[in-house]
């Protein structure tokens, strides 16, 4: 009887796990980004977290974030970059300044992922050390499985009053996706394709595609 109970419990657990996986698969990349934004705002609203990280010196900026409703974006953009991001930035046909052409495929892939994920951080580098501290303190990460996304890409969420948020999605093995959400600490940009390119401070040598996304 005990073995039967264990077998039944295992079967029920298997059904629950399969159900959760199926449900997770139906969540769109657009909504994954909104989930991260929800978590970021929860962190901002948490007095306990603020005390833990000593947010006093950042309080003015944090208060500005708290004033805004980040539930519904005004606009969302998808940004994809050159497939060979490393070569596009670090080399040219005439010269290979950093010796990238000698890099092993494995190391180049690691470098490519890190370079891709650094773009939102570099975008904030223009606005000062305090702003960078805010971004670092309230960046949120999530890993999930999805067959929807095939290449690395950014989703840029624009709000009526609040700071824009960039979520980078990095594709790994076996349909795994790593996502990071970043506040971008400025409102001084246009809600257009060209405005998003300026907001992200993308190097001019990069080939990029920016398109508006509808939910």
């Amino acid at each position: 009887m005990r073995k039967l109970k264990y077998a039944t419990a295992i079967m029920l657990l298997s059904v629950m796990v399969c159900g959760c996986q199926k449900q997770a698969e139906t969540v769109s990349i657009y909504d994954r980004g909104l989930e991260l934004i929800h978590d970021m705002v929860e962190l901002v609203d948490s007095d306990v977290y603020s005390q833990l990280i000593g947010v006093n010196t950042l309080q003015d900026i944090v208060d500005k974030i708290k004033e805004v409703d980040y539930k519904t974006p005004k606009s969302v953009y998808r940004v994809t970059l050159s497939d060979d991001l490393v070569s596009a930035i670090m080399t040219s046909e005439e010269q290979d300044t950093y010796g990238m052409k000698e890099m092993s495929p494995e190391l180049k892939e690691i470098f490519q992922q890190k370079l891709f994920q650094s773009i939102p951080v570099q975008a904030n580098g223009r606005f000062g050390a305090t702003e960078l501290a805010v971004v670092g303190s309230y960046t949120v990460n999530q890993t999930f499985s999805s067959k929807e996304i095939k290449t690395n890409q950014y989703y840029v969420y624009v709000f009526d009053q609040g700071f824009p948020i960039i979520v980078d999605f990095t594709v790994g093995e076996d349909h795994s996706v790593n996502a990071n959400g970043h506040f971008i600490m400025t409102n001084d940009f246009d809600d257009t394709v060209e405005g998003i390119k300026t907001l992200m401070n993308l190097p001019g040598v990069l080939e990029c595609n920016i398109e508006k996304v509808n939910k």
Side-chain angles (χ1 to χ4, degrees):
M1 180 62 71
R2 182 174 296 178
K3 290 183 178 179
L4 180 59
K5 287 182 179 179
Y6 286 156
T8 303
I10 291 171
M11 288 176 63
L12 287 173
L13 182 59
S14 299
V15 170
M16 290 172 64
V17 170
C18 290
C20 291
Q21 290 175 339
K22 184 177 181 180
Q23 184 178 8
E25 186 64 35
T26 62
V27 179
S28 67
I29 297 302
Y30 184 109
D31 287 331
R32 289 286 185 185
L34 290 180
E35 287 179 0
L36 258 74
I37 291 170
H38 175 269
D39 292 344
M40 293 165 70
V41 172
E42 275 205 333
L43 273 184
V44 171
D45 288 338
S46 171
D47 293 334
V48 173
Y49 181 72
S50 296
Q51 292 172 12
L52 285 173
I53 65 173
V55 79
N56 293 338
T57 57
L58 315 175
Q59 195 62 55
D60 288 346
I61 297 177
V62 172
D63 287 342
K64 288 181 181 179
I65 297 174
K66 286 183 176 182
E67 292 172 358
V68 177
D69 183 355
Y70 284 91
K71 291 180 182 177
T72 306
K74 178 176 68 171
S75 306
V76 180
Y77 296 84
R78 181 191 298 114
V79 183
T80 54
L81 305 180
S82 166
D83 288 340
D84 194 347
L85 185 59
V86 173
S87 295
I89 292 180
M90 309 298 281
T91 66
S92 67
E93 292 183 3
E94 293 78 21
Q95 60 183 15
D96 180 15
T97 306
Y98 298 93
M100 295 297 165
K101 293 177 181 177
E102 304 301 321
M103 189 179 290
S104 70
E106 293 78 14
L107 183 56
K108 189 173 183 180
E109 180 62 25
I110 293 171
F111 194 7
Q112 176 121 332
Q113 303 288 46
K114 289 186 176 295
L115 194 55
F116 174 83
Q117 293 173 348
S118 74
I119 294 286
V121 179
Q122 292 180 24
N124 274 310
R126 298 167 288 172
F127 308 123
T130 302
E131 286 75 8
L132 276 176
V134 171
V135 171
S137 298
Y138 295 104
T139 294
V140 171
N141 173 274
Q142 185 183 100
T143 301
F144 57 93
S145 177
S146 174
K147 295 180 181 178
E148 176 188 347
I149 181 171
K150 307 297 183 184
T151 59
N152 296 346
Q153 54 195 254
Y154 308 96
Y155 270 55
V156 184
Y157 296 81
V158 180
F159 300 87
D160 276 321
Q161 301 296 327
F163 295 117
I165 294 174
I166 296 178
V167 180
D168 62 72
F169 294 96
T170 308
V171 179
E173 297 180 352
D174 299 324
H175 307 297
S176 68
V177 180
N178 180 265
N180 299 278
H182 313 259
F183 287 106
I184 304 299
M185 310 308 292
T186 182
N187 290 313
D188 186 18
F189 70 98
D190 294 327
D191 184 7
T192 63
V193 167
E194 282 302 314
I196 295 303
K197 186 172 183 178
T198 301
L199 172 71
M200 295 183 68
N201 198 29
L202 295 172
V205 296
L206 276 182
E207 293 182 12
C208 67
N209 180 62
I210 304 175
E211 57 183 339
K212 207 163 188 176
V213 177
N214 295 317
K215 184 168 170 53

